[in-house]
Amino acid sequence: MKSVIFAAAIASAAAFAPAQVGKVSTSLSAFEAELGAQAPLGFFDPLGLLDDADQARFDRLRYVEIKHGRVAMLAFVGNLITRNGIYLPGNIDEAGHAFSSFGNGWQAIDGANAIPQDGVSQILLFVGYLEASVMLDVEGTGNEHIGDFRNGFIDFGWDTFDEETKLSKRAIELNNGRAAMMGILGLMIHEQIGGEFPIVGQM
């Protein structure tokens, strides 16, 4: 478990490398004014992930940051929901095990009331399918920036926004994702420490 938390901490450090808006320069200074490099930290790259980086390297890190942020937001909200006693109705399997009968957080994977291995395998396979077939940036479909997975299919009114509003919403998602990565890492750590916390409840 400690190695999982350490790996998550290292991965989340990439969350503070800032965002792409179409520049072609590959010098470090080219990234200092990118979306996401903002007060109070400004350009923040403590691990030097962008030292001598080219645009392709930057784009790759931004892609990973956005995707990890989205997953972390789902994970953090999921923790809040289940720890407050809100579960899907019905049973998780044909044996009659209710969704509410399994542990929260890491306990759902490796605990006394953990989901059976077959169930965990199904979850991992579904996530792998989404990663390989759905959450993709398909060229030629009108996507506008790194992390734009609409692929000419889903819009939710994005095309009705002006450029300033689009930049604002992208910055909001980026910062919420960064906060969620730190938040879910904190929950993982405190789950091992134990205790009770506001909103989250008993760990």
Side-chain angles (χ1 to χ4, degrees):
M1 183 57 204
K2 291 181 180 178
S3 61
V4 173
I5 294 174
F6 178 74
I10 295 299
S12 67
F16 299 96
Q20 187 241 355
V21 290
K23 295 185 179 180
V24 296
S25 174
T26 59
S27 67
L28 184 62
S29 62
F31 306 129
E32 292 180 347
E34 295 285 357
L35 182 70
Q38 57 198 51
L41 295 177
F43 180 81
F44 187 66
D45 182 23
L47 298 182
L49 298 177
L50 290 175
D51 290 351
D52 300 320
D54 58 12
Q55 190 65 45
R57 169 72 171 168
F58 178 87
D59 290 347
R60 174 60 184 166
L61 290 175
R62 177 43 44 111
Y63 179 84
V64 171
E65 175 184 20
I66 291 174
K67 184 174 285 189
H68 285 181
R70 290 169 178 172
V71 171
M73 285 188 278
L74 290 172
F76 189 83
V77 172
N79 261 269
L80 295 183
I81 291 173
T82 56
R83 291 183 187 282
N84 279 279
I86 303 172
Y87 300 91
L88 291 173
N91 301 323
I92 198 172
D93 57 22
E94 294 181 353
H97 296 104
F99 284 97
S100 58
S101 66
F102 296 99
N104 298 313
W106 189 256
Q107 295 300 312
I109 305 297
D110 184 25
N113 297 319
I115 299 171
Q117 186 58 51
D118 288 347
V120 174
S121 298
Q122 290 178 42
I123 293 171
L124 293 177
L125 286 172
F126 180 64
V127 171
Y129 165 75
L130 292 177
E131 177 78 11
S133 304
V134 179
M135 300 303 177
L136 301 174
D137 186 350
V138 180
E139 293 185 10
T141 56
N143 295 340
E144 299 177 5
H145 54 81
I146 300 295
D148 185 351
F149 296 158
R150 292 176 298 153
N151 299 322
F153 176 61
I154 298 176
D155 184 73
F156 295 119
W158 180 259
D159 289 334
T160 66
F161 300 138
D162 57 32
E163 290 304 314
E164 183 178 356
T165 301
K166 288 181 179 180
L167 284 174
S168 174
K169 289 187 176 295
R170 288 175 59 196
I172 290 170
E173 179 190 29
L174 197 57
N175 285 324
N176 285 351
R178 290 169 173 175
M181 283 187 274
M182 300 304 292
I184 193 62
L185 178 60
L187 287 179
M188 292 168 65
I189 292 172
H190 285 294
E191 187 173 4
Q192 301 305 307
I193 297 173
E196 186 168 343
F197 300 89
I199 301 178
V200 178
Q202 185 66 40
M203 299 297 286

